[in-house]
Amino acid sequence: MKKILKYTAISLGMLAGLPSCEVERLPETAISDQTFWRSEGDLKAASNYLYTYLPTFGTLTPQGYSSTYNVTYASEDIWSDDAFGLASNNISDGSRLAPATDANYTANYLLIRAANNIIEKASRAAVNTAQSIIDRYVAEARFFRAFGYYNLVQRYGDVPLILKTLDETSAELNVPASPRASIFDQIYQDLDFAAQKLPTATTLGTADFGRISNTAALAFKARVALFEGTRSKYHNYGEPAKHLKVAVDAAKAVIDSKQHELYTGSYFDIWQLAGEGRQNRENIIVRQYGVSLTERVVTHSYYRGTLENGNMNPTKSLADSYLYKDGLPINKSPLYKAPVVSTDVFVDRDTRMSDTFMKKGDPMMTTKPIFDIAPLVFNKTGFMFRKTSNVDDWNTQASTIDRPILRYAEVLVTYAEALYDLNGSISDADLDLTINRLRQRGGVAKLTNTFATTNGLNMRDEIRRERRVELAQEGFRYWDLIRWKTAEIELPKPILGNYFFKAEFGTVAAVRLTADNYILVQEASFRKFDPVRDYLWPLPINEIALNPSLTQNKGW
């Protein structure tokens, strides 16, 4: 099941080259491949390297490198209003400066360089390998090239578009950034090729589970297009309808393929060993970890190192977004009652809240087997995230639980949101196809147009709410606020936590409370978002020095 973890050493030498801060430089001395690129095995080994760049639980260390890139994939939520860490960070408090170097920039160009290398050289295997096989691994490479460019343009906007490997003398090292519209066109071309040439998830089966399938390419295309379609719509540039139509069509193609389905087990188990592998058809793209503690290749300590120790804790804002089982929000539902004890927060709520937040009685850790209340010294909000929590993993600090990167649930909410933003409406039939299937597994009443009108609900907001709760703790919220152009409204708000249950939290020094007895974690005055500057990230200063044709983003 986890064969991709067994990376072939020769492929690392072929593709890794030498780490560099420069865009896509490939020193000729770093590669010696006159006898490589001869067989399917060579192509597969080369492609395996690309998978080391999939988002991890924690920081990114590409295989074949001794240094760790400070690309944090597991804690994006602390940049948003969904989570808070042990202290403020320089994104949510607005204090960051343009960096000299940025691994989010460098690592993605390293990935693009490796993908370009395969795309250029795969044809050498034609003597011994069928064209369909060559096309398959070129398709994998083109998927990852699209993946790298999406990560770049999402953060920085216009960046250099490099579609071939470069050496120290290449003129392309000094090209200006390409317009984001051109980059998205190239991303779509790469993903279309991948969708045409890659096997289905069924064909990959258990033996090749984890490799990119044709529906993975389509599902990722839907994600990309939704981002740019809504961003261009709400930031007022480009061609929103074009991208939204791409998102609708790509998501619908995944739905119609019948290759994927929502997981039939519990929502919580999606982030446990029970939810791994092809038997969970909700998985479309995953980051795989070690096979077992006795057969370790790579593991993580996300539960103990990020959740239990307080590096990422859910907020009241996230908690309040979960509906009551009658389908109404906390400010409208007659089921709401002021909490008296901590478990009251979960009564009559969407059950996905109980699967995402720790509550009294849940298994916790070796030194405290059963959870009662979050310790405020670590979990500053008085809440604790639960996805991926596992007592055995806490003890060993070597979890092999995979990280879902793209799930079928995301495809459903993408289809609903793109359709609504494209047309300004959504039918009850399409709500049943998408949003209501997710609500059903949370035990929440159906959403219909009549229900929304009767209860004074905004349909767009309810679709966005569904996305927020379904994908909570998975790193989406910050980027959603960016594309909706609501970051300037939501991010400067104060961070509040759980209701302060004095009998359960006990005497806590220096805890600050609001007038209505909620934990005040961070005041609004310590949270900044500059709408002129912060919707794009700053380009690394060293990259501008290396390429004078690059222009720094506005305000940085």
Side-chain angles (χ1 to χ4, degrees), residues 263-333:
Y263 183 50
T264 56
S266 76
Y267 180 75
F268 175 74
D269 278 348
I270 294 172
W271 295 272
Q272 298 294 310
L273 294 175
E276 291 192 353
R278 177 57 183 159
Q279 56 87 24
N280 177 1
R281 296 180 63 202
E282 186 165 339
N283 289 324
I284 298 180
I285 304 175
V286 298
R287 171 75 187 220
Q288 294 183 303
Y289 282 86
V291 177
S292 67
L293 290 179
T294 57
E295 190 179 352
R296 297 188 191 187
V297 179
V298 60
T299 60
H300 64 86
S301 59
Y302 173 62
Y303 173 45
R304 186 167 179 175
T306 298
L307 305 185
E308 183 267 323
N309 72 1
N311 278 308
M312 192 171 80
N313 313 290
T315 62
K316 181 179 185 294
S317 176
L318 176 59
D320 287 352
S321 67
Y322 287 85
L323 295 168
Y324 281 79
K325 64 183 183 182
D326 60 5
L328 294 174
I330 193 169
N331 63 337
K332 288 180 176 288
S333 176

Side-chain angles (χ1 to χ4, degrees), residues 91-237:
I91 293 180
S92 64
D93 70 14
S95 65
R96 61 179 166 162
L97 303 173
T101 61
D102 183 352
N104 291 287
Y105 191 90
T106 305
N108 282 300
Y109 272 113
L110 289 171
L111 170 60
I112 291 164
R113 183 182 72 187
N116 283 339
N117 200 35
I118 295 173
I119 294 166
E120 290 178 3
K121 296 176 180 176
S123 61
R124 297 183 188 179
V127 174
N128 303 308
T129 309
Q131 186 62 44
S132 60
I133 299 299
I134 294 171
D135 287 345
R136 173 182 173 176
Y137 292 105
V138 170
E140 284 196 9
R142 291 188 68 168
F143 170 87
F144 279 102
R145 182 167 70 181
F147 190 88
Y149 271 116
Y150 174 64
N151 289 337
L152 286 166
V153 75
Q154 183 183 48
R155 288 167 170 79
Y156 309 104
D158 300 348
V159 293
L161 182 61
I162 309 296
L163 300 178
K164 66 178 185 178
T165 53
L166 308 180
D167 60 31
E168 295 294 333
T169 64
S170 297
E172 289 85 354
L173 292 171
N174 295 308
V175 297
S178 296
R180 63 187 299 138
S182 299
I183 297 171
F184 276 99
D185 285 344
Q186 183 60 51
I187 289 173
Y188 294 153
Q189 290 175 34
D190 282 345
L191 294 176
D192 285 343
F193 183 90
Q196 293 167 8
K197 302 297 183 180
L198 288 172
T200 65
T202 298
T203 301
L204 289 173
T206 299
D208 273 335
F209 173 77
R211 301 201 79 87
I212 301 300
S213 65
N214 70 327
T215 46
L218 288 168
F220 187 68
K221 185 181 181 185
R223 175 190 289 184
V224 169
L226 177 69
F227 180 87
E228 190 62 4
T230 51
R231 194 183 193 282
S232 57
K233 177 177 179 177
Y234 294 108
H235 289 255
N236 195 27
Y237 68 86

Side-chain angles (χ1 to χ4, degrees), residues 499-516:
Y499 189 86
F500 185 72
F501 304 98
K502 186 175 181 180
E504 296 178 68
F505 282 115
T507 302
V508 181
V511 64
R512 295 181 302 163
L513 303 176
T514 64
D516 49 355

Side-chain angles (χ1 to χ4, degrees), residues 7-36:
Y7 302 108
T8 304
I10 190 170
S11 72
L12 305 182
M14 291 293 156
L15 293 167
L18 298 175
S20 169
C21 292
E22 293 89 344
V23 171
E24 250 262 349
R25 295 172 188 261
L26 184 61
E28 292 183 357
T29 56
I31 192 164
S32 177
D33 60 352
Q34 295 305 308
T35 60
F36 199 65

